Amino acid sequence: MTNKLRILVLIGIIIILGSGFAFANSKVTIQLDGEILETDVDPIIVNDRTMVPYRAVLEAMGAEVSWEPAARMATAVLGSHRVQVTIDQTIGFVNGKTKSMDVPPMIVNDRTLIPLRFVLENLNCGVDWDNENRMVIINSPENVDLTEINSIELEETESSYRIVVQANDVIKNTSTFAYEEPVRYGIDICNATFPEGIGQISEENDIFYGIRFSQFNEDTVRIVVDLKEKLAGKVKLSDNRTEVFIEFDKLNQNQEDDNEPNGERDEPLIPELDWRASGKHIVIDVGHGGSDSGALAKYNGTVIYEKDLNLSIALRIYELLQKAGANVTILRDKDVYMTLYSRPEAANTLNADLLVSIHNNSATTSAPNGTEVLYYNKEDEKSIYGFTSQEVAELIQKELVKETGLKDRGIKDCPHLAVLNKSLMPAVIIEGGFLSNPNDLQRMVTEEFKEAYAISVVRGVINALNSSVEN
Ligand SMILES: [Zn+2]
């Protein structure tokens, strides 16, 4: 399904120049890095905006351009920089974060017009207008290809050891791995170069013997920590994505508060999380909240809000994943409003390895019923994260059907949903049951249903994480 991104719907796609580029009808030329760029479609003017061939310009400078028709979203990637824009929306995504533009992309006479200045400047290019010569002047960025790693250092805090990696530009992606015999944990920094070629930090402590790093292949820098214990590091990125932190918690001498107060409920059967996958960061998005109630239904005179149901299920998932030793973050733990885009953006900022969005369904008629998981596979998910969105969806759906007893509606490819298509990592949206269906609703209000939903998600997530480190 990732090949969908490559569909050549882009033929004839052109770009709108940003504000400040209004002028009368006459031929406009494009200069790219000092040379005139010949294009098969002449630049044209629509609504006082000059539009130039989008694909031609971006591909001439070596950018990858893709178009997702269902989402009406164009993505341009140049080096480590990624810009996503959606038709009729003034909010774009730059390196996984929202950024607004003054003119939204639009479709005019069957042509997709994209704001050139927004796209190019955020790909780190220079864009200028030479009024005298009616020329758009574009300069490719100096560092197009690989992000340079400037330094790799070890810091110690009271509770952890922290490896700090500093780069000269945005870090596109990271990928973690772990091995036994001997025990080691590592991180690959994708699309990066380490000019020193090879290096090490031979500082031994209670957790590891030392750290080695090198240019692993032409576009990957690999950092390996030789461990004394089976411990996974937690990977974080700085806000501007130019620093990576790999954090190892110091060994905790008193583990006794592990025994929770004698369980009011029997602990469910949860698969053991492989230590090698325990550093992977799971972000739980809790559907709706605050003024956005989501779906609602009346049951025995009480109004059931989807936002509340989602929250209680999500909190249980969070609790169970933490108990399993997973590295997990929940985006809301109380009844607060969150915008749609802030959800994938938060997961991107947190450098999540998996985004799981908790919802329940509703329809305009009472007939539709059952449980389903929505997904959208992005490029390179398998090689970077070790599993795809679709695989996670299948693993969770299988458990949901078994545990909740609701009708199996299957998994669904949904490229148009922002939580799925604006997140950089594998992501799924779970629609537990239909609040609008009386039979589903009757089960959904029970504690048993919420527990079944939570257990299913936890099992599916752990099975997915474990699958990423097998063999
Ligand atoms: Zn919902």
Side-chain angles (χ1 to χ4, degrees):
M1 284 299 171
T2 54
N3 282 340
K4 251 185 161 180
L5 284 170
R6 304 236 164 243
I7 293 175
L8 277 177
V9 183
L10 280 180
I11 293 167
I13 279 190
I14 39 186
I15 285 184
I16 306 177
L17 285 176
S19 45
F21 287 127
F23 39 81
N25 270 324
S26 83
K27 183 152 163 94
V28 172
T29 50
I30 303 163
Q31 190 194 67
L32 173 61
D33 294 331
E35 309 232 344
I36 300 298
L37 183 72
E38 298 294 342
T39 56
D40 51 358
V41 183
D42 276 339
I44 55 168
I45 294 170
V46 172
N47 296 341
D48 285 343
R49 307 256 172 210
T50 299
M51 296 167 287
V52 300
Y54 171 54
R55 188 172 270 282
V57 172
L58 290 168
E59 289 188 343
M61 58 176 63
E64 280 178 49
V65 183
S66 58
W67 169 250
E68 177 49 68
R72 308 209 304 163
M73 179 180 78
T75 302
V77 179
L78 184 62
S80 296
H81 294 258
R82 164 190 296 266
V83 179
Q84 285 169 297
V85 293
T86 306
I87 300 301
D88 295 334
Q89 290 179 7
T90 52
I91 293 178
F93 267 67
V94 175
N95 302 320
K97 294 195 150 196
T98 53
K99 198 162 180 179
S100 55
M101 60 198 96
D102 52 358
V103 186
M106 57 182 93
I107 294 178
V108 178
N109 299 333
D110 286 338
R111 278 184 172 156
T112 304
L113 313 178
I114 307 280
L116 179 68
R117 186 181 276 280
F118 180 85
V119 174
L120 289 184
E121 286 186 345
N122 285 304
L123 289 174
N124 235 3
C125 305
V127 185
D128 243 315
W129 168 243
D130 175 352
N131 197 40
E132 202 175 323
N133 297 308
R134 317 201 73 69
M135 187 185 278
V136 181
I137 299 168
I138 304 168
N139 289 305
S140 297
E142 277 174 39
N143 272 315
V144 172
D145 288 331
L146 301 174
T147 293
E148 232 172 75
I149 303 300
N150 297 332
S151 68
I152 301 172
E153 281 165 4
L154 178 64
E155 284 177 0
E156 184 177 351
T157 71
E158 214 162 282
S159 59
S160 70
Y161 296 101
R162 196 157 89 132
I163 301 165
V164 181
V165 181
Q166 275 180 325
N168 72 337
D169 198 359
V170 171
I171 288 162
K172 191 178 191 177
N173 244 320
T174 63
S175 171
T176 58
F177 58 89
Y179 296 107
E180 295 181 350
E181 297 173 20
V183 184
R184 55 211 195 274
Y185 190 82
I187 174 176
D188 282 338
I189 301 172
C190 310
N191 206 64
T193 174
F194 183 54
E196 287 172 48
I198 192 163
Q200 62 175 12
I201 297 170
S202 38
E203 260 176 67
E204 190 177 334
N205 57 45
D206 53 330
I207 293 174
F208 49 78
Y209 296 104
I211 304 159
R212 306 172 268 137
F213 31 91
S214 65
Q215 188 76 44
F216 178 66
N217 60 34
E218 62 174 24
D219 62 357
T220 307
V221 174
R222 173 165 284 190
I223 300 169
V224 179
V225 182
D226 291 305
L227 290 163
K228 295 179 175 174
E229 309 275 344
K230 290 179 180 178
L231 282 174
K234 291 175 184 170
V235 178
K236 289 177 187 144
L237 285 173
S238 64
D239 217 37
N240 60 6
R241 293 185 83 90
T242 61
E243 283 177 294
V244 187
F245 310 102
I246 308 135
E247 198 147 358
F248 291 85
D249 291 336
K250 287 184 177 170
L251 296 177
N252 196 356
Q253 273 87 351
N254 37 332
Q255 305 273 66
E256 46 203 302
D257 32 40
D258 251 32
N259 314 335
E260 293 283 308
N262 313 332
E264 297 125 31
R265 40 185 155 186
D266 293 336
E267 281 312 306
L269 209 59
I270 302 294
E272 195 179 328
L273 175 62
D274 192 308
W275 77 271
R276 295 171 295 172
S278 61
K280 299 222 186 247
H281 193 182
I282 304 142
V283 169
I284 302 170
D285 168 43
V286 190
H288 313 283
S291 59
D292 168 16
S293 309
L296 53 90
K298 246 193 174 158
Y299 186 79
N300 283 350
T302 318
V303 180
I304 311 287
Y305 294 102
E306 186 201 339
K307 63 173 183 177
D308 298 331
L309 182 59
N310 295 344
L311 180 60
S312 70
I313 294 164
L315 285 170
R316 179 66 173 151
I317 293 169
Y318 177 71
E319 181 190 11
L320 289 173
L321 281 172
Q322 274 205 319
K323 273 190 188 161
N327 176 14
V328 56
T329 300
I330 191 164
L331 292 185
R332 70 173 175 95
D333 59 5
K334 47 176 139 9
D335 186 20
V336 288
Y337 177 76
M338 287 182 74
T339 64
L340 179 61
Y341 285 148
S342 68
R343 300 164 187 265
E345 183 179 48
N348 295 340
T349 303
L350 289 162
N351 198 35
D353 294 287
L354 175 61
L355 173 60
V356 179
S357 183
I358 305 303
H359 282 259
N360 282 284
N361 227 331
S362 183
T364 48
T365 60
S366 64
N369 67 97
T371 188
E372 65 190 26
V373 181
L374 318 178
Y375 71 95
Y376 168 54
N377 285 341
K378 280 148 290 205
E379 276 180 83
D380 303 328
E381 285 186 342
K382 188 84 177 175
S383 64
I384 295 171
Y385 301 96
F387 45 76
T388 65
S389 299
Q390 184 177 355
E391 287 167 356
V392 177
E394 275 163 3
L395 288 167
I396 293 174
Q397 177 69 9
K398 196 178 89 183
E399 298 293 334
L400 275 173
V401 170
K402 197 168 68 190
E403 291 296 325
T404 65
L406 296 184
K407 183 180 135 190
D408 183 359
R409 296 172 62 88
I411 62 166
K412 292 182 177 162
D413 182 18
C414 293
H416 59 286
L417 299 175
V419 166
L420 303 179
N421 70 36
K422 300 296 192 300
S423 48
L424 299 172
M425 72 294 307
V428 293
I429 297 174
I430 299 154
E431 297 282 1
F434 278 77
L435 286 161
S436 48
N437 176 268
N439 291 328
D440 276 13
L441 180 63
Q442 198 169 18
R443 295 200 203 183
M444 291 164 76
V445 294
T446 64
E447 286 308 310
E448 287 73 27
F449 171 82
K450 294 179 206 169
E451 184 72 357
Y453 187 145
I455 290 169
S456 304
V457 173
V458 171
R459 281 189 193 149
V461 166
I462 291 180
N463 287 334
L465 294 182
N466 286 348
S467 76
S468 74
V469 295
E470 276 158 17
N471 73 58

